[in-house]
Amino acid sequence: MTGSPSGRADRLVAALATAGPDETPLDALLVTNLVNVEYLTGFTGTNGACIVSGERRMFLTDFRYAERASEIEGWDVEIVSGQWLEGLASRLSGRTGFEDDQVTVRTANQIREAADAAEMVEAGGQVERLRRVKDSDEIERIAEAARMTDELYRLLLDDGLAGRTEAEVDGWLTGWMREQGAEPSFPPIVASGPNGASPHAEPGPREIGTGEMVTIDMGVRLDGYCSDCTRTFATGGEAHLDSLSREIYEVTLRANEAGLAAIRAGEAGSAIDEVARAIIREAGYGGNFGHGLGHGVGVEIHEAPRLGPSSQDVLMAGEVVTDEPGIYISGATGVRIEDMVLVGEEGVARNFCSIPKQLTFV
Ligand code: ZN
Ligand code: ZN
């Protein structure tokens, strides 16, 4: 079970008033994305859906989950026998939104055809919007996941990096997470030397050398919630490090700190991105930062809102977002520094990543 779902369905019902296309009202919403179903009900099986309206809180699954479904509180549980989509469609009526951003065109057509009593309209993103603002229980779970990530960084640095392969480090990180009852929230990135120039580098057989930058981007999923943190370290002593790596580290750190200083409720995701991006651009590395500044984190590792040049999102207090500028020099080196923070009315209310950010030699 994930979170404390009570109250989430109420917030969803309140949102139905403007959930249709062009902010028109809906009578009901059909929720089929399992991540959203889990968020609303706590159900963690592989087949389930919700129908939510002012009058109804219906959770649907099949016979395999009948026992587990009976534990779901606050929802009328219906076990669908026979064809799943027809079973859902037969229970729909009125102007009903569906998650058009999650279902295939074929599935949407099948639901439309089978739902005789309902007018089906596109209404994707409703639950995702609710998920943006975290309640105190969710924030505590995210903080717990972040604490585990920080502990992992400390253990890793105690052992050093040079002489191990990226794949060995990756395997150790992932194994440790599983031993603690967590799982990676995404496959860890361990990118050394020239591999650091790729933001999504996959750990490989490369042995980490001395006098190199090593970017480690990792998080855990613990108790249903994710963490996400990136630090870039240098191997060997000060004397071993090239001046380019040192310079891009300093620029990236300044961009990260400027991003943190710009994060607050009411600020546009595009404006925060620009504050950090301008620092990198003015230092001459504008072409070497090819991704957005950050993203929301919660039950999924990447969720709304987005911080990036084309983001339409405006931040709200209670959101958890990352601030992760990077500079990537093809064939040579790379740096990314990522914090995960809680958005407050006046600024960052809490930084969940406690690992120091001054360049650390390991
Ligand atoms: Zn990350
Ligand atoms: Zn991230």
Side-chain angles (χ1 to χ4, degrees):
M1 302 288 272
T2 292
S4 65
S6 59
R8 293 177 188 169
D10 294 338
R11 287 166 61 212
L12 186 57
V13 168
L16 291 182
T18 55
D22 299 322
E23 303 198 350
T24 51
L26 293 177
D27 297 318
L29 185 70
L30 169 65
V31 180
T32 49
N33 175 1
L34 282 171
V35 175
N36 290 338
V37 170
E38 179 179 348
Y39 175 77
L40 291 170
T41 67
F43 175 76
T44 56
T46 59
N47 192 31
C50 298
I51 300 170
V52 180
S53 71
E55 302 79 44
R56 285 199 301 182
R57 307 282 154 80
M58 190 183 289
F59 169 75
L60 304 104
T61 185
D62 61 58
F63 69 94
R64 292 173 298 165
Y65 295 111
E67 180 139 345
R68 219 195 286 184
S70 66
E71 295 168 11
I72 294 174
E73 288 172 17
W75 292 76
D76 298 326
V77 175
E78 299 236 344
I79 305 301
V80 175
S81 50
Q83 289 294 318
W84 172 246
L85 286 180
E86 271 97 81
L88 297 186
S90 68
R91 290 165 169 87
L92 301 175
S93 62
R95 195 172 142 84
T96 302
F98 69 99
E99 297 181 300
D100 62 305
D101 53 345
Q102 301 286 343
V103 301
T104 62
V105 172
R106 179 195 293 237
T107 300
N109 287 338
Q110 284 174 328
I111 294 174
R112 274 208 170 91
E113 267 170 41
D116 303 329
E119 177 200 355
M120 302 303 297
V121 299
E122 288 90 359
Q126 296 304 321
V127 182
E128 285 81 354
R129 211 159 297 151
L130 286 190
R131 280 170 36 196
R132 285 177 54 170
V133 173
K134 274 69 183 176
D135 60 33
S136 56
D137 174 69
E138 293 181 288
I139 290 166
E140 217 20 71
R141 286 170 198 242
I142 290 168
E144 204 53 55
R147 266 192 285 276
M148 187 177 277
T149 310
D150 281 358
E151 190 182 348
L152 194 43
Y153 271 114
R154 291 196 182 92
L155 292 170
L156 182 67
L157 296 185
D158 284 349
D159 285 354
L161 291 167
R164 302 162 82 181
T165 69
E166 295 173 352
E168 280 166 15
V169 174
D170 169 39
W172 184 82
L173 292 171
T174 307
W176 190 89
M177 292 174 192
R178 297 226 153 93
E179 278 168 22
Q180 304 294 313
E183 59 181 335
S185 53
F186 58 94
I189 292 170
V190 181
S192 62
N195 291 349
S198 167
H200 302 289
E202 284 179 28
R206 186 180 189 280
E207 188 177 302
I208 299 169
T210 298
E212 294 182 345
M213 300 303 251
V214 185
T215 297
I216 297 176
D217 186 353
M218 65 174 167
V220 302
R221 191 169 198 261
L222 177 68
D223 216 0
Y225 282 80
C226 298
S227 61
D228 190 5
C229 181
T230 308
R231 290 291 183 264
T232 301
F233 306 100
T235 56
E238 297 247 6
H240 291 95
L241 193 64
D242 62 284
S243 58
L244 175 64
S245 292
R246 188 181 297 271
E247 174 173 313
I248 64 173
Y249 191 91
E250 293 309 320
V251 175
T252 304
L253 180 55
R254 276 198 286 128
N256 165 277
E257 285 171 345
L260 289 182
I263 287 172
R264 69 174 56 81
E267 195 66 81
S270 57
I272 299 164
D273 176 275
E274 176 54 24
V275 166
R277 194 169 299 277
I279 286 170
I280 291 176
R281 192 170 50 232
E282 280 155 22
Y285 298 103
N288 303 90
F289 174 27
H291 57 77
L293 183 68
H295 54 87
V297 180
V299 289
E300 288 186 296
I301 183 64
H302 292 122
E303 56 180 56
R306 300 274 164 183
L307 279 60
S310 61
S311 171
Q312 302 291 312
D313 298 326
V314 174
L315 295 193
M316 295 182 277
E319 291 176 335
V320 174
V321 300
T322 67
D323 168 34
E324 51 180 303
I327 297 178
Y328 311 95
I329 312 291
S330 183
T333 184
V335 171
R336 180 167 62 259
I337 303 170
E338 173 179 33
D339 288 317
M340 182 179 73
V341 303
L342 177 65
V343 179
E345 294 291 352
E346 308 294 332
V348 167
R350 182 169 175 183
N351 189 336
F352 295 102
C353 302
S354 71
I355 299 299
K357 289 187 283 190
Q358 75 273 17
L359 183 55
T360 303
F361 293 86
V362 295

